Amino acid sequence: MFKGILIEKDDAGYRASCKTLDESVLGEGDVTVRVGWSTLNYKDGLAITGKGPVVRRFPMVPGIDMAGTVETSAHPDYQPGDAVVLNGWGVGEVHPGGLAQRIRLKGDWLVPLPAAFTARQAMAIGTAGYTAMLCVLTLERHGVTPDHGEIIVTGANGGVGSVAVALLARLGYTVVASTGRPQESDYLKRLGAAEIIDRAQFSAPGRPLGKERWAGAVDTVGSHTLANVCATSRYRGVVTACGLAQGMDLPASVAPFILRGVTLAGVDSVMCPRPDRIVAWQRLARDLDPSLLDLMVTEIGLDDAIDTAAALLEGRVRGRVVVDVNR
Ligand code: NDP
Protein backbone atom coordinates (compact mmCIF):
# COMPACT_ATOMS: atom_id res chain seq x y z
CA MET A 1 0.00 0.00 0.00
CA PHE A 2 1.19 3.51 -0.73
CA LYS A 3 -0.10 7.07 -0.78
CA GLY A 4 -1.04 8.95 -3.93
CA ILE A 5 -3.44 11.36 -5.59
CA LEU A 6 -6.24 9.64 -7.47
CA ILE A 7 -8.50 11.28 -10.05
CA GLU A 8 -11.85 9.60 -10.52
CA LYS A 9 -14.68 10.36 -12.92
CA ASP A 10 -18.04 8.67 -12.68
CA ASP A 11 -21.68 9.46 -12.00
CA ALA A 12 -20.58 11.34 -8.87
CA GLY A 13 -18.51 13.70 -11.08
CA TYR A 14 -14.82 14.54 -11.57
CA ARG A 15 -12.76 14.58 -8.38
CA ALA A 16 -9.20 14.30 -7.10
CA SER A 17 -8.31 13.07 -3.63
CA CYS A 18 -5.27 11.93 -1.69
CA LYS A 19 -5.70 8.22 -0.93
CA THR A 20 -4.05 5.02 0.16
CA LEU A 21 -3.56 3.05 -3.04
CA ASP A 22 -2.51 -0.50 -3.89
CA GLU A 23 -0.62 -2.11 -6.76
CA SER A 24 -3.77 -2.37 -8.87
CA VAL A 25 -3.51 1.33 -9.80
CA LEU A 26 0.03 0.95 -11.16
CA GLY A 27 0.42 0.92 -14.95
CA GLU A 28 2.25 -1.59 -17.12
CA GLY A 29 6.00 -1.40 -17.34
CA ASP A 30 9.35 -3.04 -16.78
CA VAL A 31 10.59 -0.70 -14.04
CA THR A 32 9.04 0.13 -10.65
CA VAL A 33 10.28 3.28 -8.96
CA ARG A 34 10.02 4.47 -5.36
CA VAL A 35 9.14 8.10 -5.95
CA GLY A 36 10.99 10.66 -3.85
CA TRP A 37 9.77 13.92 -5.33
CA SER A 38 7.20 15.08 -7.84
CA THR A 39 6.03 18.49 -8.93
CA LEU A 40 3.08 20.49 -10.20
CA ASN A 41 3.15 21.80 -13.75
CA TYR A 42 0.38 23.73 -15.47
CA LYS A 43 -0.79 20.48 -17.05
CA ASP A 44 -1.02 18.81 -13.63
CA GLY A 45 -3.14 21.77 -12.54
CA LEU A 46 -5.50 21.14 -15.46
CA ALA A 47 -5.59 17.41 -14.67
CA ILE A 48 -6.25 17.75 -10.94
CA THR A 49 -8.90 20.45 -11.26
CA GLY A 50 -10.48 18.90 -14.37
CA LYS A 51 -10.27 22.32 -16.10
CA GLY A 52 -8.65 20.82 -19.19
CA PRO A 53 -9.00 17.44 -20.92
CA VAL A 54 -5.60 16.16 -19.79
CA VAL A 55 -6.64 12.86 -18.19
CA ARG A 56 -7.88 10.37 -20.74
CA ARG A 57 -8.28 7.25 -18.55
CA PHE A 58 -9.91 6.84 -15.16
CA PRO A 59 -9.10 6.31 -12.40
CA MET A 60 -5.75 8.06 -12.93
CA VAL A 61 -2.82 9.01 -10.76
CA PRO A 62 -1.82 12.50 -12.02
CA GLY A 63 1.74 13.83 -12.19
CA ILE A 64 3.65 14.18 -15.47
CA ASP A 65 7.00 14.25 -13.62
CA MET A 66 8.79 12.34 -10.89
CA ALA A 67 12.27 11.66 -9.55
CA GLY A 68 13.03 8.57 -7.51
CA THR A 69 14.94 5.36 -7.01
CA VAL A 70 14.50 2.17 -9.01
CA GLU A 71 13.00 -0.57 -6.85
CA THR A 72 12.72 -3.41 -9.40
CA SER A 73 13.77 -3.51 -13.03
CA ALA A 74 13.60 -5.89 -15.96
CA HIS A 75 15.10 -3.19 -18.21
CA PRO A 76 18.76 -3.69 -19.18
CA ASP A 77 19.69 -0.04 -18.47
CA TYR A 78 18.33 0.16 -14.92
CA GLN A 79 19.20 -1.64 -11.68
CA PRO A 80 17.60 -1.38 -8.25
CA GLY A 81 19.00 1.68 -6.50
CA ASP A 82 19.47 3.78 -9.67
CA ALA A 83 18.32 7.41 -9.41
CA VAL A 84 16.01 8.33 -12.29
CA VAL A 85 13.87 11.16 -13.67
CA LEU A 86 10.67 10.99 -15.69
CA ASN A 87 9.09 13.76 -17.77
CA GLY A 88 6.00 13.29 -19.90
CA TRP A 89 5.40 10.40 -22.32
CA GLY A 90 1.70 10.56 -21.41
CA VAL A 91 2.37 9.70 -17.77
CA GLY A 92 -0.32 11.32 -15.60
CA GLU A 93 -2.55 11.49 -18.69
CA VAL A 94 -3.01 7.94 -20.00
CA HIS A 95 -0.50 6.12 -17.76
CA PRO A 96 -0.57 6.40 -13.93
CA GLY A 97 1.75 9.22 -12.90
CA GLY A 98 4.22 10.63 -10.44
CA LEU A 99 2.02 12.14 -7.70
CA ALA A 100 2.24 8.93 -5.66
CA GLN A 101 4.87 7.06 -3.70
CA ARG A 102 5.18 4.34 -6.39
CA ILE A 103 5.14 4.32 -10.17
CA ARG A 104 5.57 1.54 -12.72
CA LEU A 105 6.51 2.45 -16.26
CA LYS A 106 8.66 1.67 -19.31
CA GLY A 107 12.36 2.00 -18.59
CA ASP A 108 12.73 3.58 -22.05
CA TRP A 109 10.89 6.63 -20.71
CA LEU A 110 13.39 7.24 -17.91
CA VAL A 111 16.47 9.44 -17.89
CA PRO A 112 19.24 8.84 -15.33
CA LEU A 113 19.22 11.60 -12.70
CA PRO A 114 22.06 13.96 -13.71
CA ALA A 115 24.84 13.95 -11.11
CA ALA A 116 24.55 17.73 -10.86
CA PHE A 117 21.10 17.54 -9.28
CA THR A 118 19.39 15.98 -6.30
CA ALA A 119 15.98 14.39 -6.92
CA ARG A 120 14.37 17.47 -5.34
CA GLN A 121 16.30 19.81 -7.64
CA ALA A 122 15.34 17.70 -10.67
CA MET A 123 11.70 18.22 -9.71
CA ALA A 124 12.28 21.92 -9.09
CA ILE A 125 13.21 21.88 -12.78
CA GLY A 126 10.57 19.33 -13.87
CA THR A 127 8.83 19.39 -17.23
CA ALA A 128 8.61 23.18 -16.96
CA GLY A 129 12.37 23.62 -16.70
CA TYR A 130 13.19 20.93 -19.22
CA THR A 131 10.77 22.61 -21.66
CA ALA A 132 12.46 25.95 -21.02
CA MET A 133 15.73 24.26 -21.97
CA LEU A 134 14.14 22.82 -25.13
CA CYS A 135 13.13 26.38 -26.05
CA VAL A 136 16.67 27.64 -25.49
CA LEU A 137 18.07 24.77 -27.59
CA THR A 138 15.57 25.65 -30.33
CA LEU A 139 16.70 29.30 -30.32
CA GLU A 140 20.31 28.12 -30.56
CA ARG A 141 19.49 25.66 -33.35
CA HIS A 142 18.02 28.56 -35.32
CA GLY A 143 21.21 30.55 -34.84
CA VAL A 144 20.02 33.11 -32.27
CA THR A 145 23.07 34.30 -30.32
CA PRO A 146 23.28 36.90 -27.53
CA ASP A 147 24.61 39.60 -29.88
CA HIS A 148 21.40 39.41 -31.97
CA GLY A 149 19.44 41.41 -29.40
CA GLU A 150 16.75 41.09 -26.76
CA ILE A 151 14.87 37.86 -25.99
CA ILE A 152 11.37 38.15 -24.56
CA VAL A 153 10.04 35.54 -22.13
CA THR A 154 6.26 35.63 -21.59
CA GLY A 155 4.58 34.21 -18.48
CA ALA A 156 7.90 34.99 -16.83
CA ASN A 157 6.79 34.31 -13.25
CA GLY A 158 5.52 30.84 -14.15
CA GLY A 159 7.56 27.64 -14.09
CA VAL A 160 8.68 27.57 -17.73
CA GLY A 161 9.16 31.33 -17.72
CA SER A 162 11.27 31.45 -14.56
CA VAL A 163 13.68 28.76 -15.75
CA ALA A 164 13.85 30.30 -19.24
CA VAL A 165 14.80 33.69 -17.76
CA ALA A 166 17.51 32.10 -15.60
CA LEU A 167 18.95 29.99 -18.43
CA LEU A 168 18.99 32.73 -21.05
CA ALA A 169 20.55 35.27 -18.69
CA ARG A 170 23.26 32.81 -17.66
CA LEU A 171 24.01 32.20 -21.36
CA GLY A 172 24.56 35.93 -21.89
CA TYR A 173 21.28 36.90 -23.56
CA THR A 174 19.53 40.16 -22.69
CA VAL A 175 16.22 38.95 -21.27
CA VAL A 176 13.02 40.98 -21.16
CA ALA A 177 10.47 39.38 -18.83
CA SER A 178 6.78 39.90 -19.61
CA THR A 179 4.50 39.42 -16.61
CA GLY A 180 1.16 40.33 -15.10
CA ARG A 181 2.85 40.44 -11.69
CA PRO A 182 5.11 43.51 -11.64
CA GLN A 183 5.30 43.11 -7.85
CA GLU A 184 7.62 40.16 -8.56
CA SER A 185 10.12 42.33 -10.46
CA ASP A 186 12.85 41.83 -7.87
CA TYR A 187 12.50 38.06 -8.21
CA LEU A 188 12.74 38.24 -12.01
CA LYS A 189 15.77 40.53 -11.79
CA ARG A 190 17.48 38.09 -9.43
CA LEU A 191 16.87 35.37 -12.01
CA GLY A 192 18.64 37.60 -14.53
CA ALA A 193 15.96 39.64 -16.33
CA ALA A 194 17.33 42.93 -17.66
CA GLU A 195 13.88 44.52 -17.94
CA ILE A 196 10.36 43.75 -16.78
CA ILE A 197 7.37 44.67 -18.95
CA ASP A 198 3.61 44.50 -18.35
CA ARG A 199 1.97 41.59 -20.14
CA ALA A 200 -1.10 43.79 -20.79
CA GLN A 201 0.63 45.29 -23.82
CA PHE A 202 0.43 41.87 -25.54
CA SER A 203 -2.90 40.58 -24.22
CA ALA A 204 -5.34 42.27 -26.62
CA PRO A 205 -5.74 42.00 -30.40
CA GLY A 206 -2.86 43.87 -32.07
CA ARG A 207 -1.70 45.00 -35.50
CA PRO A 208 -0.22 42.55 -38.04
CA LEU A 209 3.19 44.21 -37.61
CA GLY A 210 4.60 46.42 -34.85
CA LYS A 211 7.93 48.04 -34.09
CA GLU A 212 10.69 45.44 -34.42
CA ARG A 213 12.21 44.51 -31.07
CA TRP A 214 12.77 40.81 -30.28
CA ALA A 215 15.63 38.75 -31.67
CA GLY A 216 14.01 35.73 -30.04
CA ALA A 217 11.17 34.72 -27.78
CA VAL A 218 10.08 32.02 -25.37
CA ASP A 219 6.30 32.17 -25.33
CA THR A 220 4.41 30.20 -22.68
CA VAL A 221 1.14 32.08 -23.15
CA GLY A 222 -0.20 31.63 -26.72
CA SER A 223 -3.24 33.50 -28.08
CA HIS A 224 -2.96 37.29 -28.64
CA THR A 225 0.31 37.36 -26.72
CA LEU A 226 2.00 35.00 -29.16
CA ALA A 227 0.52 36.87 -32.14
CA ASN A 228 1.81 40.21 -30.78
CA VAL A 229 5.25 38.78 -29.98
CA CYS A 230 5.54 37.54 -33.58
CA ALA A 231 4.35 40.95 -34.86
CA THR A 232 7.06 42.77 -32.87
CA SER A 233 9.89 40.36 -33.68
CA ARG A 234 12.89 41.63 -35.55
CA TYR A 235 13.80 40.68 -39.08
CA ARG A 236 14.57 36.91 -38.97
CA GLY A 237 13.68 36.69 -35.29
CA VAL A 238 12.83 33.29 -33.83
CA VAL A 239 9.78 32.72 -31.62
CA THR A 240 9.54 29.46 -29.69
CA ALA A 241 5.97 28.58 -28.73
CA CYS A 242 5.35 26.08 -25.94
CA GLY A 243 2.35 27.22 -23.92
CA LEU A 244 -1.27 28.28 -23.79
CA ALA A 245 -1.72 30.08 -20.45
CA GLN A 246 -3.72 32.83 -22.19
CA GLY A 247 -5.37 30.53 -24.72
CA MET A 248 -4.93 27.85 -27.33
CA ASP A 249 -5.90 30.13 -30.20
CA LEU A 250 -3.46 32.01 -32.41
CA PRO A 251 -5.20 35.08 -33.84
CA ALA A 252 -2.26 36.17 -35.99
CA SER A 253 -1.51 37.27 -39.55
CA VAL A 254 1.21 35.88 -41.82
CA ALA A 255 2.84 39.33 -42.05
CA PRO A 256 5.74 38.66 -39.62
CA PHE A 257 6.59 35.42 -41.44
CA ILE A 258 6.42 36.60 -45.04
CA LEU A 259 7.66 40.17 -44.59
CA ARG A 260 10.23 39.77 -41.82
CA GLY A 261 11.21 36.11 -42.20
CA VAL A 262 10.24 35.45 -38.59
CA THR A 263 10.38 31.77 -37.57
CA LEU A 264 7.67 30.34 -35.32
CA ALA A 265 9.11 27.17 -33.80
CA GLY A 266 6.91 24.81 -31.83
CA VAL A 267 8.30 23.07 -28.74
CA ASP A 268 6.87 19.84 -27.32
CA SER A 269 8.27 18.10 -24.28
CA VAL A 270 5.90 15.13 -23.98
CA MET A 271 6.95 13.00 -26.95
CA CYS A 272 10.38 14.60 -27.37
CA PRO A 273 12.80 11.80 -28.41
CA ARG A 274 15.10 10.39 -25.73
CA PRO A 275 18.40 11.64 -27.22
CA ASP A 276 17.07 15.22 -27.20
CA ARG A 277 15.93 14.82 -23.58
CA ILE A 278 19.35 13.64 -22.54
CA VAL A 279 20.93 16.66 -24.22
CA ALA A 280 18.40 18.97 -22.54
CA TRP A 281 19.18 17.53 -19.08
CA GLN A 282 22.93 17.72 -19.74
CA ARG A 283 22.57 21.35 -20.72
CA LEU A 284 20.43 22.06 -17.63
CA ALA A 285 23.25 20.58 -15.54
CA ARG A 286 25.72 22.88 -17.27
CA ASP A 287 23.75 26.09 -17.72
CA LEU A 288 21.32 26.41 -14.81
CA ASP A 289 22.60 27.98 -11.63
CA PRO A 290 21.23 25.51 -9.02
CA SER A 291 21.18 28.20 -6.34
CA LEU A 292 18.44 29.97 -8.33
CA LEU A 293 16.21 26.92 -7.93
CA ASP A 294 15.90 27.72 -4.21
CA LEU A 295 14.55 31.12 -5.18
CA MET A 296 11.97 29.61 -7.54
CA VAL A 297 10.68 26.78 -5.42
CA THR A 298 7.70 26.27 -3.10
CA GLU A 299 7.66 22.89 -1.32
CA ILE A 300 4.42 21.09 -0.49
CA GLY A 301 3.30 17.60 0.58
CA LEU A 302 0.97 15.30 -1.39
CA ASP A 303 -2.01 16.43 0.69
CA ASP A 304 -1.47 20.04 -0.43
CA ALA A 305 -1.27 19.21 -4.14
CA ILE A 306 -4.99 19.53 -4.82
CA ASP A 307 -5.37 23.07 -3.42
CA THR A 308 -2.08 24.17 -4.95
CA ALA A 309 -3.18 22.90 -8.39
CA ALA A 310 -6.07 25.37 -8.34
CA ALA A 311 -3.79 28.22 -7.20
CA LEU A 312 -1.36 27.42 -10.04
CA LEU A 313 -4.07 27.75 -12.69
CA GLU A 314 -5.15 31.07 -11.15
CA GLY A 315 -1.61 32.41 -11.62
CA ARG A 316 -1.05 32.63 -7.85
CA VAL A 317 2.07 30.44 -7.79
CA ARG A 318 5.47 31.96 -8.50
CA GLY A 319 8.11 29.79 -10.14
CA ARG A 320 8.03 26.08 -9.40
CA VAL A 321 6.30 23.76 -6.93
CA VAL A 322 8.02 20.62 -5.64
CA VAL A 323 5.97 17.87 -4.01
CA ASP A 324 7.47 15.72 -1.27
CA VAL A 325 5.37 12.60 -1.85
CA ASN A 326 6.57 11.04 1.42
CA ARG A 327 5.37 13.84 3.68
P1 NDP B 1 2.62 28.27 -14.75
O1 NDP B 1 1.22 28.26 -14.30
O2 NDP B 1 3.71 28.03 -13.78
O3 NDP B 1 2.92 29.65 -15.49
C1 NDP B 1 2.05 30.23 -16.41
C2 NDP B 1 2.27 31.75 -16.37
O4 NDP B 1 1.57 32.32 -17.48
C3 NDP B 1 1.68 32.42 -15.15
O5 NDP B 1 2.54 32.37 -14.04
C4 NDP B 1 1.50 33.83 -15.66
O6 NDP B 1 2.75 34.49 -15.61
C5 NDP B 1 1.15 33.62 -17.13
N1 NDP B 1 -0.29 33.71 -17.38
C6 NDP B 1 -1.28 33.02 -16.74
N2 NDP B 1 -2.48 33.35 -17.23
C7 NDP B 1 -2.26 34.26 -18.21
C8 NDP B 1 -3.10 35.00 -19.10
N3 NDP B 1 -4.44 34.85 -19.08
N4 NDP B 1 -2.53 35.85 -19.96
C9 NDP B 1 -1.20 36.01 -20.00
N5 NDP B 1 -0.33 35.36 -19.18
C10 NDP B 1 -0.87 34.49 -18.30
O7 NDP B 1 2.69 27.20 -15.95
P2 NDP B 1 4.00 26.48 -16.57
O8 NDP B 1 5.12 27.45 -16.58
O9 NDP B 1 4.14 25.14 -15.96
O10 NDP B 1 3.50 26.27 -18.06
C11 NDP B 1 3.34 27.41 -18.92
C12 NDP B 1 2.62 27.00 -20.19
O11 NDP B 1 3.47 26.13 -20.93
C13 NDP B 1 1.33 26.23 -19.94
O12 NDP B 1 0.38 26.61 -20.90
C14 NDP B 1 1.74 24.79 -20.13
O13 NDP B 1 0.67 23.98 -20.54
C15 NDP B 1 2.78 24.93 -21.22
N6 NDP B 1 3.75 23.86 -21.23
C16 NDP B 1 3.95 23.22 -22.42
C17 NDP B 1 4.88 22.24 -22.53
C18 NDP B 1 5.13 21.62 -23.86
O14 NDP B 1 5.64 20.50 -23.92
N7 NDP B 1 4.83 22.31 -24.94
C19 NDP B 1 5.61 21.74 -21.36
C20 NDP B 1 5.41 22.55 -20.16
C21 NDP B 1 4.48 23.55 -20.12
P3 NDP B 1 2.89 36.03 -15.08
O15 NDP B 1 2.26 36.04 -13.73
O16 NDP B 1 4.37 36.26 -15.07
O17 NDP B 1 2.17 36.89 -16.07
Side-chain angles (χ1 to χ4, degrees), residues 42 131 155-160 179-181 199 220-221 242-245 267 269:
Y42 193 86
T131 301
N157 270 297
V160 178
T179 182
R181 287 182 272 179
R199 78 183 191 198
T220 73
V221 169
C242 71
L244 45 57
V267 172
S269 64

Side-chain angles (χ1 to χ4, degrees), residues 40-43 46 127-128 131 155-161 178-181 199 203 220-221 225 241-246 267-270 312-313 315 317 319-320:
L40 287 181
N41 296 278
Y42 193 86
K43 196 184 248 180
L46 292 174
T127 283
T131 301
N157 270 297
V160 178
S178 167
T179 182
R181 287 182 272 179
R199 78 183 191 198
S203 303
T220 73
V221 169
T225 300
C242 71
L244 45 57
Q246 183 179 16
V267 172
D268 167 63
S269 64
V270 180
L312 186 89
L313 291 192
V317 173
R320 300 277 302 129

Side-chain angles (χ1 to χ4, degrees), residues 62-124:
I64 65 170
D65 287 326
M66 68 90 205
T69 308
V70 172
E71 212 165 53
T72 61
S73 171
H75 190 284
D77 294 351
Y78 297 102
Q79 311 301 325
D82 287 352
V84 290
V85 180
L86 177 275
N87 305 114
W89 292 118
V91 169
E93 303 179 54
V94 292
H95 185 102
L99 282 164
Q101 293 170 325
R102 291 284 181 290
I103 186 170
R104 185 177 300 139
L105 72 187
K106 285 188 186 170
D108 288 347
W109 294 343
L110 294 167
V111 169
L113 176 72
F117 300 122
T118 63
R120 185 180 184 277
Q121 285 173 326
M123 287 299 97

Side-chain angles (χ1 to χ4, degrees), residues 280-302:
W281 276 100
Q282 282 168 346
R283 285 288 307 270
L284 283 160
R286 196 191 85 180
D287 297 327
L288 185 64
D289 175 355
S291 70
L292 291 180
L293 289 173
D294 294 336
L295 203 61
M296 292 178 203
V297 126
T298 307
E299 183 183 315
I300 61 170
L302 258 187

